[in-house]
Amino acid sequence: MYAKEKNEVLQAALEIKHNHLVALCGGNISVRLPDGSFLVTPSGMIYEDMTWEDVVRVDKHGNVLDGSRKPSSDTPALLYIFEKMPWVNAVIHTHQPWATAAGLVCDVLPACLVTQIDANRSDVYVAPFTPSGEKQMGVLTVDYAHDAWAVILKHHGVMAYGPTLKDALFSAVYLEEAAQTYMIARSVGPVPKLDPALVAVEADSWNHYGQK
């Protein structure tokens, strides 16, 4: 059941691994389905060892509906995000190093690159630390989201999300690119800020980008 969607989740997991946003079995991918259930990657499995059948389908309470694997330990946090942000249909949690590093030295990653503005929509805020597997990760993501399509979790990683799995993937990958550029520039000198009006114009351009 939902073989196509499960395979898309697996391919996204392999893509974040390819882009060095996670190592081994770090992070997770989750997607909202039309019937109100959710797909979640399994806990503690190396992505290259997974097949689409390992992706778990759960209900809104986290009960397994389909699949033999244990879902990600972050499932309570992911389900909280889906509940409180109904426009979000995909969440990607990573441990990406550059964005995580930025979160250790600043409270917000300013919108400083066109790709970041396109994919994250605005400044990306840094939420306080909370241990893995706790619902509070989701609570803090919602609290610190503001207008952005990602939140940096201090001492931990990133929650990236969007209306589609592709949007969430772009959010995670381009956030890492921006964080790397920002950290390199910051090591040399102050990073200039963009006019908020120009940020808004650039963010709107993403609505017309690509093949519709």
Side-chain angles (χ1 to χ4, degrees):
M1 192 174 188
Y2 290 110
K4 175 178 178 292
E5 291 82 358
K6 289 182 177 182
N7 187 61
E8 289 172 350
V9 168
L10 174 58
Q11 294 308 310
L14 293 172
E15 188 67 23
I16 63 172
K17 188 85 170 280
H18 173 74
N19 281 276
H20 307 292
L21 306 188
V22 296
L24 297 175
C25 56
N28 47 69
I29 310 280
S30 55
V31 169
R32 188 198 306 269
L33 294 171
D35 68 357
S37 62
F38 303 89
L39 298 180
V40 186
T41 46
S43 176
M45 287 193 71
I46 294 175
Y47 296 127
E48 288 87 350
D49 294 341
M50 285 172 49
T51 69
W52 65 266
E53 294 170 308
D54 292 313
V55 177
V56 186
R57 186 166 70 97
V58 302
D59 66 15
K60 64 180 182 180
H61 304 294
N63 300 309
V64 175
L65 300 173
D66 179 20
S68 60
R69 301 295 186 181
K70 175 184 175 184
S72 169
S73 60
D74 292 331
T75 297
L78 303 172
L79 294 177
Y80 183 89
I81 295 170
F82 284 122
E83 177 190 357
K84 299 299 182 180
M85 303 173 77
W87 64 272
V88 168
N89 293 312
V91 179
I92 296 178
H93 171 47
T94 72
H95 299 153
Q96 52 200 81
W98 283 102
T100 306
L104 294 175
V105 297
C106 61
D107 294 326
V108 58
L109 179 66
C112 57
L113 291 182
V114 291
T115 47
Q116 177 198 1
I117 299 167
D118 292 342
N120 302 143
R121 318 302 287 178
S122 69
D123 297 342
V124 176
Y125 288 81
V126 180
F129 173 75
T130 188
S132 300
E134 292 192 356
K135 180 181 177 181
Q136 186 67 5
M137 282 173 52
V139 174
L140 290 172
T141 296
V142 173
D143 288 347
Y144 282 78
H146 299 283
D147 295 324
W149 288 13
V151 170
I152 298 172
L153 306 173
K154 201 175 190 73
H155 301 281
H156 189 157
V158 166
M159 286 288 193
Y161 40 83
T164 70
L165 184 54
K166 181 179 179 180
D167 288 322
L169 184 61
F170 274 52
S171 178
V173 172
Y174 283 137
L175 174 60
E176 186 69 351
E177 178 185 74
Q180 181 176 8
T181 303
Y182 175 81
M183 292 295 282
I184 293 171
R186 180 171 163 150
S187 71
V188 177
V191 178
K193 292 185 177 181
L194 282 172
D195 184 328
L198 293 177
V199 172
V201 170
E202 178 62 35
D204 181 65
S205 72
W206 188 251
N207 297 324
H208 315 289
Y209 178 75
Q211 307 301 312
K212 303 298 182 183

